[in-house]
Amino acid sequence: SARAIESELGILANVKATTSSLPGRRELDPASPLDRSDILAMIRCFEEDTSLVPDFEAKSRAFLPASVIQAQALELVSFLCPNAKKDLDKKDSKLLSKMVVTDYSKVGCTDKLRPMDVTATFRFMGERLCGENQSETFKRYLWGNIFRRYATHPKYLSSISSYWTVPSGMDASPPLIQLPLATAEAACEAQRLFPAIKLRALSLYTSPDTVRQQWRGDTFIPFGRLYPLLGSAASDEVLASLLVDAYWEGLSLKATDNVKDEHVARGLRNFVDEMAALYNSNLETLLQRVSDAHRVAVPQPKAEEKAHAGQ
């Protein structure tokens, strides 16, 4: 994991040194070393530079109306968890509206989402509806990450999309009705970049002791207000995300495969039940599974990645 983090930070440092002075970018000093405040901006620059579809996020938004995405998320809940609640309660609906940035609202406009907002919406609904039993928190995190993987699968993202004029009633048959697969692939790939950095940023919330030891010289500074709120919850989230990512990779699904399949759904239900049972009865075995999953979810850097990082 340390090698993967160093490689990813090297890539970002190289991005800063080579592209941060381009017109239209923030005026950063390319000669200065990578600072913790540069990381999110450089990840964004790397996404833009490496994507095969220019402006994939802006192109995707037109096909991701909020009302359609929420309806599709509820449909996936009914498919994966037939016995779950059919909709969010008022409290959860209000919380979701605060989590996902709303689009501008004018008379006659259709609220649209970015691909990352689609992922957040699916993840939230998976946690709150499929994992509605609040006493089984680990199972909730497992379902949330399963919904995250659905929302970042290109074929599925394309299948749930709809050009905004269709649900608004302005034009029932536009030239393109669904998000092109190439654009969906670019949007999903951008959300899978830099897994080691993202995992480490989340892991800093798992222990206040870790934060106290590293806050002065560390590359990342998590939000201080979240220290007393997380802890074990963040730790369970890290475990669940690694297990789900490793399981999903083991399915060997291609970008064009249909993931809304009963065979896949049955396997996911069994996986959630098995992992939740291990969490409650045999934590040592579960941690060994997580250790194995980590090697799959956060692979070691390849030779070309090291070269890109200047190592």
Side-chain angles (χ1 to χ4, degrees):
S1 180
R3 287 174 55 198
I5 292 171
E6 290 174 7
S7 176
E8 291 180 4
L9 289 175
I11 291 173
L12 295 180
N14 189 45
V15 171
K16 181 177 181 181
T18 56
T19 69
S20 60
S21 59
L22 294 177
R25 294 263 169 93
R26 286 289 181 95
E27 285 70 23
L28 302 171
D29 180 7
S32 64
L34 184 75
D35 187 72
R36 54 189 166 227
S37 60
D38 298 331
I39 290 177
L40 288 179
M42 292 305 102
I43 288 177
R44 183 69 172 185
C45 289
F46 185 82
E47 289 176 1
E48 294 174 354
D49 293 343
T50 58
S51 174
L52 298 177
V53 180
D55 300 323
F56 64 86
E57 186 173 276
K59 292 176 180 177
S60 299
R61 287 181 70 254
F63 293 89
L64 302 172
S67 59
V68 171
I69 295 304
Q70 291 184 10
Q72 291 290 344
L74 292 174
E75 189 175 316
L76 183 61
V77 169
S78 299
F79 175 71
L80 292 176
C81 309
N83 298 324
K85 292 189 300 184
K86 301 305 180 186
D87 202 353
L88 298 172
D89 57 32
K90 289 185 178 180
K91 182 179 178 181
D92 285 341
S93 296
K94 188 174 182 179
L95 180 57
L96 178 61
S97 67
K98 291 181 178 179
M99 290 173 54
V100 176
V101 179
T102 56
D103 200 2
Y104 55 85
S105 53
K106 295 181 180 178
V107 175
C109 289
T110 302
D111 192 18
K112 309 175 194 70
L113 301 178
R114 300 171 297 172
M116 66 178 69
D117 295 329
V118 174
T119 305
T121 300
F122 267 71
R123 181 176 187 149
F124 185 86
M125 288 195 171
E127 279 189 10
R128 299 304 167 118
L129 296 178
C130 281
E132 60 180 311
N133 188 347
Q134 297 188 13
S135 63
E136 299 182 17
T137 55
F138 188 64
K139 185 177 282 191
R140 299 185 78 178
Y141 296 135
L142 288 169
W143 277 119
N145 281 282
I146 286 171
F147 274 67
R148 168 177 63 85
R149 291 311 304 246
Y150 266 92
T152 51
H153 185 271
K155 176 69 174 179
Y156 181 74
L157 181 63
S158 176
S159 69
I160 65 173
S161 64
S162 175
Y163 193 64
W164 68 272
T165 60
V166 176
S168 68
M170 291 184 63
D171 185 359
S173 48
L176 276 176
I177 295 180
Q178 290 188 323
L179 181 66
L181 187 59
T183 308
E185 288 181 2
C188 294
E189 179 61 29
Q191 296 182 67
R192 291 194 292 267
L193 294 173
F194 303 103
I197 287 178
K198 294 173 181 176
L199 181 67
R200 188 175 184 278
L202 176 61
S203 69
L204 283 184
Y205 290 104
T206 62
S207 169
D209 292 334
T210 304
V211 174
R212 292 192 192 99
Q213 293 167 13
Q214 299 186 355
W215 75 273
R216 285 186 180 275
D218 199 64
T219 313
F220 308 96
I221 296 184
F223 294 107
R225 292 178 183 176
L226 295 181
Y227 294 162
L229 300 179
L230 297 177
S232 63
S235 179
D236 290 349
E237 167 60 30
V238 170
L239 302 184
S241 65
L242 289 173
L243 290 169
V244 169
D245 284 344
Y247 179 83
W248 193 272
E249 293 300 324
L251 295 177
S252 301
L253 296 169
K254 299 178 182 177
T256 54
D257 287 347
N258 176 27
V259 292
K260 197 174 178 182
D261 177 79
E262 184 56 42
H263 176 71
V264 175
R266 192 182 309 114
L268 288 169
R269 294 186 199 108
N270 294 336
F271 164 77
V272 170
D273 291 339
E274 181 186 357
M275 293 301 106
L278 280 177
Y279 180 83
N280 293 324
S281 62
N282 195 339
L283 196 56
E284 190 171 329
T285 303
L286 180 72
L287 293 177
Q288 182 57 49
R289 292 275 193 98
V290 171
S291 179
D292 297 338
H294 182 270
R295 289 189 283 272
V296 178
V298 186
Q300 292 299 315
K302 300 175 184 177
E304 57 268 23
E305 292 176 348
K306 291 182 180 179
H308 197 166
Q311 298 179 348

